[in-house]
């Protein structure tokens, strides 16, 4: 395994973490759902072409080759957990299950061997439902090349998920929410496009080909759209992120110190000679007091400066000292104007130079941010999907042959991608995925890509969407503008607040329901 490219080390760890996290959250907030990152790039660059739409919502990833360990119960809960709250993505996209190996199987009705495991208000949760949810989580873990959670813990997590879901659906019905046929059709089309399919009809054929009852799939989709609409309505109005929170968050993540506010002062100086006699000092002090009195009563400060100031240029500039960080002014000035509003006058205050009369012209928050760079990789790929017409072993063999032909000069990567890749969004461009930021690809793809040097081609790489051949074409560090930093930090904070609000709301809904546990699931 090669070391990560040097360009991936251009940032201090905290700053790199912010950069990766900010862009990842931007993608999630944009609602790209389960799509390749071409969609997200289109949000950032309207000229970019989208790649095949089948990447899960972008998220901040662990360093290449490392995944945080989870306790069995936590892993089981994550395997069956509900999608992110709909406040982060369009209702028709985020929570709808894609018709892949992780899609729901047709629900098995309660039969002689079935039994009720819990009751939520008056509605039962059956053992078959729990088993279905467990099977779905296991299929999804296998599709993602993840270790399967412990079955016993998975059953408990699946039951709790179903109870919470049932309580939320009941609450939605109480609120009078319904999913129209039009909304369901839009959701179905969105899922089709997220999986690289051209129409809802093609999606339905795929669902049926995988042995999933179409009615069960539509029912589950309608349920998830309803929950998304409910969460969006309940959570969205609660999410507010202030500018101060954004700046504080960026400073925290980058490790930058708090910026001094900007201050613009005007000054009239009544100078006192170094060896002035006491009588002369008193006369000059009285003069400064008179100037201060007139300024405080509203006389034109610039005219007073031109008439009385002994500062440089004799007040010809109106005594204006200029907008600058507060720490670039004498501490005496900063302390003297502390608490004053714009337009107010203070003085005279004495220094070694004489007597000063100060007016606050402007106060601003310093919006200068520390420079943040994010590593970006330019890559291309060839995707071969796995299905009845092509097994995994066949796909691997074909891609291995493509790699051999490219390295021997018999073919080019671009030509083979155009002729063979099943990623509809990138195939016509020779497999080009453009410049991608951290967290933009699914973890398996990104880890393999990060371990390649520019020009190097991977071995066949499996992901939940098929088998890939990847080539890295280049790497760079992109400097985020202050506006980009703030917008992406705002999205990151919004996601955090939305998740917290969703967790609180879900607990309240569950707490308001009558729940009776029956025989445990098996």
């Amino acid at each position: 395994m090669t070391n990560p490219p040097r360009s991936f080390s251009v940032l201090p760890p905290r700053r790199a973490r912010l950069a990766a996290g900010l862009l990842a959250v931007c993608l999630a907030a944009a609602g790209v759902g389960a799509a390749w990152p071409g969609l997200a790039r289109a949000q950032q660059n309207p000229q970019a072409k989208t790649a095949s739409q089948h990447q899960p919502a972008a998220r901040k990833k662990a360093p290449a080759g490392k995944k945080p360990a989870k306790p069995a119960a936590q892993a089981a809960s994550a395997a069956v957990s509900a999608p992110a709250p709909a406040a982060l993505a369009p209702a028709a996209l985020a929570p709808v299950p894609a018709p892949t190996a992780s899609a729901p199987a047709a629900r098995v009705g309660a039969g002689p061997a079935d039994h009720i495991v819990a009751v939520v208000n008056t509605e039962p949760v059956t053992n078959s439902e729990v088993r279905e949810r467990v099977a779905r989580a296991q299929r999804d873990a296998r599709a993602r090349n993840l270790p399967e959670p412990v079955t016993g813990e998975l059953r408990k997590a699946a039951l709790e998920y179903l109870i919470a879901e049932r309580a939320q659906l009941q609450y939605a019905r109480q609120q009078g929410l319904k999913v129209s046929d039009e909304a369901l059709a839009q959701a179905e089309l969105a899922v089709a496009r997220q999986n690289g399919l051209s129409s809802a009809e093609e999606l339905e054929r795929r669902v049926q080909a995988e042995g999933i009852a179409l009615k069960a799939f539509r029912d589950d989709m309608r349920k998830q759209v309803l929950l998304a609409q409910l969460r969006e309505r309940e959570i969205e109005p609660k999410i507010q992120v202030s500018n101060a929170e954004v700046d504080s968050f960026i400073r925290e993540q980058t490790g930058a110190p708090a910026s001094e506010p900007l201050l613009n002062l005007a000054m009239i100086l009544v100078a006192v000679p170094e060896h002035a006699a006491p009588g002369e000092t008193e006369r000059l002090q009285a003069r400064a007091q008179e100037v201060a009195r007139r300024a405080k009563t509203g006389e034109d400060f610039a005219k007073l400066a031109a008439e009385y100031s002994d500062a440089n240029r004799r007040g010809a500039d109106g005594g204006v000292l200029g907008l600058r960080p507060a720490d670039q002014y004498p501490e005496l000035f900063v302390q003297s104007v502390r608490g004053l509003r714009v337009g107010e006058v203070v003085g005279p205050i004495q220094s070694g130079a004489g007597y000063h009369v100060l007016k606050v012209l402007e106060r601003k928050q310093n919006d200068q941010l520390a420079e943040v760079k994010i590593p970006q990789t330019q890559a291309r790929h060839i995707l071969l999907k796995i299905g009845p017409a092509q097994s995994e072993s066949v796909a691997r063999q074909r891609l291995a042959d493509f790699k051999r032909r490219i390295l021997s000069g018999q073919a080019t990567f671009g030509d083979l991608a155009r002729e063979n890749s099943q990623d509809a969004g990138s195939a016509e461009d020779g497999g080009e995925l453009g410049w991608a930021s951290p967290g933009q690809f699914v973890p398996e793809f990104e880890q393999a890509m990060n371990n390649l040097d520019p020009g190097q081609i991977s071995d066949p790489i499996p992901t939940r969407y098929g088998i890939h051949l990847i080539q890295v074409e280049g790497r760079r560090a992109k400097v985020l503008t202050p506006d980009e930093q703030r917008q992406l930090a705002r999205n990151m904070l919004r996601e955090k607040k939305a998740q917290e609000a969703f967790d609180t709301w879900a607990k309240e809904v569950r707490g308001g329901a009558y729940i009776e546990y029956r025989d445990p699931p098996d």
Side-chain angles (χ1 to χ4, degrees):
M1 181 179 293
T2 60
N3 293 323
R6 291 182 62 189
S7 61
F8 275 64
S9 302
V10 298
L11 305 180
R14 289 171 64 86
R15 198 167 294 175
R17 188 165 63 248
L18 167 71
L22 289 181
L23 278 187
V25 170
C26 183
L27 305 183
V32 298
W36 274 103
L39 277 181
R41 281 195 304 278
Q43 305 288 338
Q44 301 166 30
N45 178 9
Q47 304 300 322
K49 295 184 179 180
T50 60
S52 179
Q53 303 170 354
H54 49 252
Q55 178 181 336
R59 62 180 184 273
K60 207 163 48 169
K61 62 182 268 309
K66 296 183 180 180
K67 293 183 179 179
K70 291 184 178 180
Q74 185 180 351
S77 179
V80 296
S81 61
L88 306 182
L93 296 183
V96 181
T100 62
S102 62
R107 177 165 292 174
V108 180
D114 202 5
H115 61 274
I116 295 173
V117 294
V119 175
V120 182
N121 292 320
T122 59
E123 294 185 34
V125 177
T126 64
N127 187 57
S128 60
E129 291 178 278
V130 175
R131 296 183 70 173
E132 175 190 318
R133 177 65 59 175
V134 168
R136 183 192 306 187
Q138 290 172 331
R139 288 194 301 271
D140 192 49
R142 287 192 294 270
R144 300 183 186 202
N145 295 318
L146 300 174
E148 292 186 18
V150 178
T151 303
E153 298 292 344
L154 192 55
R155 287 196 195 102
K156 294 178 183 177
L159 175 58
E160 292 305 315
Y161 170 86
L162 289 168
I163 288 173
E165 181 184 73
R166 196 65 49 88
Q168 291 171 32
L169 287 169
Q170 292 170 1
Y171 182 85
R173 290 195 291 269
Q174 291 170 6
Q175 301 303 309
L177 294 181
K178 295 181 180 179
V179 178
S180 66
D181 292 339
E182 180 181 1
L184 184 62
Q186 290 175 348
E188 195 170 338
L189 180 59
V191 171
R193 289 176 175 172
Q194 287 174 328
N195 286 270
L197 307 177
S198 60
S199 66
E201 290 73 18
E202 190 175 354
L203 170 68
E204 292 171 0
R205 289 194 293 271
R206 169 86 72 85
V207 167
Q208 291 175 311
E210 293 184 1
I212 301 170
L214 190 56
K215 182 180 183 304
F217 180 76
R218 283 177 174 164
D219 287 346
D220 194 60
M221 182 176 290
R222 185 183 295 273
K223 176 178 63 178
Q224 296 302 329
V225 172
L226 177 62
L227 289 174
Q229 292 175 349
L230 174 65
R231 293 166 189 155
E232 188 173 59
R233 193 186 77 165
E234 294 291 323
I235 292 171
E236 185 68 24
K238 302 177 183 178
I239 309 305
Q240 300 292 334
V241 180
S242 69
N243 292 335
E245 288 177 306
V246 169
D247 289 341
S248 175
F249 177 77
I250 291 176
R251 288 195 298 269
E252 176 188 332
Q253 294 297 309
T254 60
S259 300
E260 285 287 334
L262 299 176
L263 187 62
N264 190 3
L265 301 178
M267 178 189 71
I268 298 171
L269 169 65
V270 177
V272 177
E274 185 176 353
H275 300 293
E280 178 69 3
T281 300
E282 291 175 3
R283 185 185 66 82
L284 293 174
Q285 182 181 17
R287 182 183 184 184
Q289 289 171 340
E290 176 62 15
V291 170
R293 183 192 65 77
R294 292 169 63 181
K296 290 175 183 178
T297 59
E299 286 196 39
D300 189 311
F301 197 92
K303 289 182 179 179
L304 291 172
E307 183 176 355
Y308 294 104
S309 184
D310 296 321
N312 293 338
R313 301 184 63 190
R314 296 289 179 180
D317 53 4
V320 177
L321 300 178
L323 186 67
R324 66 185 74 171
D327 60 2
Q328 292 184 18
Y329 277 105
E331 181 64 21
L332 175 65
F333 288 12
V334 175
Q335 292 299 328
S336 297
V337 301
R338 189 178 303 277
L340 265 62
R341 295 188 295 269
V342 172
E344 292 188 326
V345 176
V346 66
I349 56 176
Q350 187 175 9
S351 75
Y355 296 99
H356 306 264
V357 179
L358 302 174
K359 181 177 182 178
V360 179
L361 300 179
E362 188 178 8
R363 288 186 187 274
K364 289 181 63 176
Q365 185 62 39
N366 190 351
D367 60 359
Q368 184 175 358
L369 300 175
E371 184 179 88
V372 171
K373 296 181 181 179
I374 58 170
Q376 291 188 323
T377 303
Q378 185 179 28
R380 55 185 175 181
H381 79 140
I382 300 172
L383 169 67
L384 297 182
K385 296 181 180 179
I386 299 170
Q390 183 170 243
S391 67
E392 179 176 344
S393 61
V394 170
R396 284 179 178 274
Q397 290 171 8
R398 289 183 63 196
L399 290 173
D401 182 60
F402 291 167
K403 180 178 179 179
R404 180 189 59 78
R405 291 167 61 188
I406 294 167
L407 294 178
S408 65
Q410 298 176 12
T412 67
F413 197 106
D415 287 343
L416 289 175
R418 277 184 282 271
E419 295 166 4
N420 300 280
S421 182
Q422 293 175 288
D423 178 0
S426 68
E428 64 180 14
D429 294 327
E432 294 288 348
L433 296 173
W435 288 100
S437 302
Q440 202 162 320
F441 296 121
V442 292
E444 311 95 294
F445 188 101
E446 186 156 331
Q447 178 177 326
M449 180 183 71
N450 288 352
N451 287 333
L452 296 173
D453 294 321
Q456 190 176 0
I457 300 174
S458 71
D459 291 329
I461 301 297
T463 73
R464 72 201 72 172
Y465 306 112
I467 312 296
H468 309 256
L469 198 65
I470 307 168
Q471 183 178 42
V472 169
E473 299 177 278
R475 288 195 165 89
R476 71 182 184 187
K478 181 181 185 297
V479 178
L480 295 180
T481 67
D483 285 345
E484 287 174 331
Q485 286 192 51
R486 285 194 170 87
Q487 184 56 52
L488 299 179
R490 188 179 301 277
N491 291 338
M492 197 169 188
L493 281 170
R494 186 175 184 83
E495 181 199 34
K496 179 176 181 292
K497 287 191 171 187
Q499 186 60 54
E500 291 171 352
F502 170 72
D503 291 343
T504 300
W505 172 80
K507 289 177 181 177
E508 291 174 353
V509 172
R510 191 186 190 283
Y514 167 77
I515 298 169
E516 178 186 346
Y517 290 92
R518 300 283 185 88
D519 295 334
D522 55 36

